[in-house]
Amino acid sequence: MHILVLGATGRNGQLIVNSALSRNHTVTALVRDPSKAVLQQHPNLHLVRGSPTSQSDIESALQSSSSAPINAVIFALGHRRLSGSPFSAPAPDCPHDLMETSAKALIAAIRACSTLPTQPKLIINSSQGVGESWNSMALPIKFIFSHATAMKMGLKDHERMDAVVRESGMPFVLGRPTVLKEGEPKPVRAWPDDGNGMPWMPSITRESLAEWLVDAVERDDWDGMSPVITN
């Protein structure tokens, strides 16, 4: 399959690209500066210069290959902070509506591309806490998302992006990972959209998340759903 990845140079995005390439998929990555992209060199990886907030740049990425149309888009954009602390301030050059604006640009670009034989499935790296999954969060995590400026801003942007994707009418999967940790890939469990039944303070490794998002490209188990995912 041919996968377009937005956010390919981020911590999750790099792992997603690696997972997709390891499964012999073709990957197109939209990056701001290909010369600075920290991605492995691979014959099945194609870099396209552009911004995820630009409809025309996304159109270029969608049409960059004449031999294999895009089958799916993995959306792995996220808000950047000044440090790794959840209470760190947002990066000054990171717009508060990055994900919402990029989702709108992506959907408009797909609609404008007459060369696509079918609408690609949208696989979204969302977050626990969005929508009905808020009630499944442990109190300490709710406190962080309620009081840390950057985390609160990011969750609100996730909420708006969620609405944009659902209202588009396009095929989608909204994966909502719990607390992200570093570590090797482990088995992943997909819980209901509201997270009902999850254990206290669950987590998931970034590599596990990346593998699951590529699974969602290949399988239809979660189409039209927004499961909370954990290890």
Side-chain angles (χ1 to χ4, degrees), residues 49 84 95 208 224:
R49 181 187 296 273
S208 302

Side-chain angles (χ1 to χ4, degrees), residues 17-18 33 84 90 117 148 153 183 189 213 230:
V17 170
N18 292 343
D33 187 347
M153 182 176 75
R189 180 162 181 180
L213 292 170
T230 68

Side-chain angles (χ1 to χ4, degrees), residues 32 51-54 75 77-80 90-106 149-150 152-162 164:
R32 295 184 184 278
S51 167
T53 61
S54 166
F75 189 105
L77 294 168
H79 284 237
R80 291 183 295 105
D93 59 345
C94 183
H96 74 282
D97 59 352
L98 171 67
M99 290 179 278
E100 177 191 16
T101 301
S102 299
K104 288 179 176 178
L106 170 61
T149 301
K152 186 176 182 179
M153 182 176 75
L155 190 63
K156 287 183 177 180
D157 200 12
H158 271 296
E159 292 271 12
R160 295 189 298 267
M161 175 185 64
D162 184 294
V164 169

Side-chain angles (χ1 to χ4, degrees), residues 112-125:
C113 286
S114 58
T115 57
L116 292 175
T118 59
Q119 288 185 339
K121 182 163 64 170
L122 310 181
I123 312 298
I124 311 297
N125 182 168

